[in-house]
Amino acid sequence: MEQLNRIELRGNVGSVRLQAVGDKQVAKLTVATNYIYKGKDGEAVIETTWHNVTAWEGKNIANLSKVEKGDKVHILGRLRNQKFIGNDGVERTAYDVLASKLEILDEDEYLQYES
């Protein structure tokens, strides 16, 4: 059986932090995705999930210096977890998406995915 760890996100950039590592750039992004469903009362409920994304400069990664807060993005990658000890001594697990592809979408491209 083949093992698979793949994630696909389409959402809005909340924050971007660029950092130079050697001769490459790495971006730490937060990306919000929305899931819309009807509640018990029939009203639309929007559930927003925030994702931490790490993207290294590369051939399938958009020009990282052009990524800005509010941009609509399409990301392919894998889910990664890292365990660490917090300041209070409690072991925690952080989850992030390690991007293998990141593209900035214009409004038409974004809407195309919605239909």
Side-chain angles (χ1 to χ4, degrees), residues 10-78:
R10 239 179 348 270
N12 298 308
V13 175
S15 66
V16 182
R17 193 175 73 225
L18 289 175
Q19 185 177 357
V21 177
D23 60 347
K24 294 206 178 234
Q25 277 194 321
V26 62
K28 300 280 188 171
L29 319 166
T30 58
V31 176
T33 57
N34 292 325
Y35 178 73
I36 302 170
Y37 62 94
K38 288 188 180 184
K40 292 180 182 177
D41 58 1
E43 294 291 318
V45 177
I46 301 173
E47 179 182 294
T48 301
T49 302
W50 286 93
H51 309 272
N52 295 314
V53 178
T54 302
W56 287 85
E57 184 177 50
K59 68 177 184 172
N60 291 326
I61 306 290
N63 185 343
L64 293 176
S65 61
K66 292 186 178 183
V67 179
E68 297 178 346
K69 180 178 180 176
D71 282 346
K72 293 170 177 20
V73 291
H74 180 225
I75 297 169
L76 296 174
R78 66 181 175 90

